[in-house]
Amino acid sequence: YRDWPFLKKLADKLRLLQQAFGPDRVSLDFRRGAPATEILQSAEESRADLLLLGSHARRGPERFLMGSVASDVALRAKCSVEV
């Protein structure tokens, strides 16, 4: 997989969050498929009460625009979403 180094770094950072807040409060879930659908399905399965999503690193007026995945998740999620 071409993005493996990025995913490994991301997983390492998420594991630090998991250590800080506890595995019962921070979960890691790697899936393949349509991103918004997989995020929403995972959130529902784990009964998440908060989703933290990244957005494109934009500056200026563009920073108010979310990516399509973050926007879709924010609109359809049954829990709180922070972007």
Side-chain angles (χ1 to χ4, degrees):
Y1 188 70
R2 66 183 169 90
D3 288 332
W4 177 247
F6 168 77
L7 292 175
K8 173 135 178 38
K9 260 191 219 181
L10 179 61
D12 291 343
K13 288 180 182 182
L14 290 172
R15 282 190 189 92
L16 290 176
L17 281 174
Q18 204 173 36
Q19 290 171 357
F21 294 101
D24 57 323
R25 299 196 66 200
V26 176
S27 64
L28 308 176
D29 189 5
F30 292 92
R31 297 178 181 218
R32 294 182 76 163
T37 301
E38 293 299 327
I39 291 167
L40 291 165
Q41 185 175 3
S42 176
E44 201 164 312
E45 289 170 3
S46 66
R47 296 183 179 163
D49 55 4
L50 174 66
L51 296 175
L52 297 175
L53 299 176
S55 178
H56 295 289
R58 294 185 171 131
R59 300 184 189 280
E62 290 180 335
R63 73 176 182 250
F64 295 106
L65 301 174
M66 285 189 284
S68 59
V69 172
S71 180
D72 193 20
V73 170
L75 289 171
R76 295 173 43 204
K78 295 179 181 177
C79 64
S80 297
V81 178
E82 290 287 330
V83 180

